Amino acid sequence: MSVMKRLSLIFRSKANNALDKMEDPRETLDYSYQRQLELLQKVRRGVADVATSRKRVELQINQLEAQSRKLEEQGRKALGVGREDLAREALTRRSSLQTQIADLRVQHDNLQAEEEKLTTASHRLQAKVDAFRTRKETIKATYTAAEAQTRINEAFSGISEEMGDVGLAIQRAEDKTAAMQARAGAIDELLASGALDDFSGQRGDDIQAELDRMGGGHDVELEIARMKAELGQGPAPQGAIESGPGQPQQQPQQYQQPQQAPSNPTQQYRQPGEGL
């Protein structure tokens, strides 16, 4: 195969593929139906033209027959008055008219036969056009339903172009939402740890965070001491053994000496500024 033939084949295949994508079966059916209607209209005009010609021939035949009858009457009248020459001339003209009438009758019969053929063809074509119209509407409805079903299935499966764009938009929104949530959580952790300053004016949060860290370190030391005691590496504090890990150590209550009442009752009512 030569290069030009291959190029021609490739061009025709590409053009055919492009035409297939551009072609809408519904539009093609409508165009075919329109062409059939135009053809049916031409046939009907042909029938009307033949019928008009037939009617014109009939009128000519009627006129010639009327002239023939008139010449016959004139010939009779001429014979009645003894004018045989006039009677012969009238009958000669009448004979010529009869020949014309015979020719016109042949034409009339031919036109009538042609009119009948065209009328029959028109009826058959009308039936075909009606059947094609019914078939066309059925095919169009089926194609429209199939197209709608295909679009619905593509939408459900997510493979359509529109739903693909929607899915990508949803995915981008979810990614941005997750990123914002992660950023908010990281900022909260940094604020809680004191790595970032809180400019809202709540300074007590820094002190509370420092106290929480000190409490957490004390619990760790108690836990280490308890574990050493279990391993036999050293005694554990009594508070750590009793309270266990994660519980605050109970402080022993100190003995408070009761206050003695003053021996001199008058000392209870000394005025301010007075000496002891």
Side-chain angles (χ1 to χ4, degrees):
M1 183 181 293
S2 63
V3 177
M4 295 302 298
K5 289 183 178 180
R6 292 183 61 186
L7 289 176
S8 177
L9 179 60
I10 293 173
F11 177 77
R12 287 197 300 268
S13 62
K14 295 292 185 181
N16 188 25
N17 189 17
L19 290 176
D20 288 339
K21 292 181 179 180
M22 294 174 59
E23 183 182 7
D24 190 349
R26 294 166 294 188
E27 296 178 354
T28 304
L29 291 173
D30 290 336
Y31 178 74
S32 300
Y33 178 69
Q34 185 66 30
R35 292 296 303 273
Q36 291 184 10
L37 289 179
E38 293 176 358
L39 179 60
L40 179 61
Q41 188 67 23
K42 289 181 180 180
V43 173
R44 289 176 175 175
R45 283 198 297 267
V47 173
D49 293 339
V50 172
T52 302
S53 299
R54 177 184 58 80
K55 192 65 177 178
R56 187 180 296 113
V57 171
E58 288 180 358
L59 293 176
Q60 291 178 1
I61 291 173
N62 293 331
Q63 290 176 0
L64 292 177
E65 287 180 347
Q67 291 178 7
S68 177
R69 289 192 296 269
K70 183 178 180 181
L71 289 172
E72 184 180 2
E73 292 294 333
Q74 289 177 352
R76 288 179 181 179
K77 289 180 180 180
L79 288 175
V81 295
R83 296 290 305 272
E84 184 178 350
D85 55 341
L86 291 177
R88 185 177 289 107
E89 181 66 23
L91 293 176
T92 302
R93 292 182 179 181
R94 180 177 178 275
S95 177
S96 177
L97 291 178
Q98 290 296 326
T99 303
Q100 295 180 12
I101 291 172
D103 294 337
L104 290 176
R105 287 188 182 278
V106 173
Q107 294 181 8
H108 179 271
D109 294 339
N110 293 332
L111 290 174
Q112 189 172 4
E114 188 67 21
E115 181 182 356
E116 291 177 357
K117 291 180 180 179
L118 290 177
T119 302
T120 303
S122 176
H123 292 332
R124 291 178 180 177
L125 184 58
Q126 180 67 51
K128 290 183 178 180
V129 171
D130 294 339
F132 181 80
R133 180 181 60 185
T134 304
R135 183 62 176 169
K136 173 182 71 72
E137 296 299 331
T138 303
I139 294 175
K140 287 176 60 177
T142 304
Y143 181 83
T144 303
E147 184 181 19
Q149 186 65 35
T150 302
R151 290 182 178 179
I152 292 173
N153 293 336
E154 289 180 352
F156 284 157
S157 59
I159 63 176
S160 63
E161 183 177 357
E162 294 81 2
M163 294 304 297
D165 295 339
V166 173
L168 291 176
I170 294 175
Q171 184 64 36
R172 288 194 299 268
E174 291 178 350
D175 293 341
K176 289 183 179 181
T177 302
M180 292 300 294
Q181 291 177 350
R183 182 177 179 84
I187 293 175
D188 291 339
E189 292 180 358
L190 292 175
L191 289 174
S193 62
L196 293 179
D197 295 333
D198 187 2
F199 294 97
S200 62
Q202 299 178 358
R203 294 296 182 180
D205 294 339
D206 296 338
I207 299 175
Q208 185 64 37
E210 185 67 22
L211 293 175
D212 294 339
R213 286 196 298 270
M214 291 178 62
H218 182 69
D219 293 339
V220 170
E221 295 296 331
L222 292 177
E223 183 66 18
I224 290 175
R226 186 182 64 80
M227 293 176 66
K228 286 182 178 181
E230 293 178 355
L231 296 175
Q233 297 179 0
Q238 184 68 27
I241 296 175
E242 293 178 355
S243 61
Q247 295 182 0
Q249 183 179 1
Q250 296 181 0
Q251 299 292 335
Q253 296 182 357
Q254 297 180 359
Y255 175 75
Q256 296 181 359
Q257 184 178 2
Q259 297 180 359
Q260 295 180 1
S263 58
N264 190 1
T266 59
Q267 295 179 357
Q268 297 178 358
Y269 303 100
R270 291 183 179 180
Q271 297 293 327
E274 293 182 356
L276 296 177

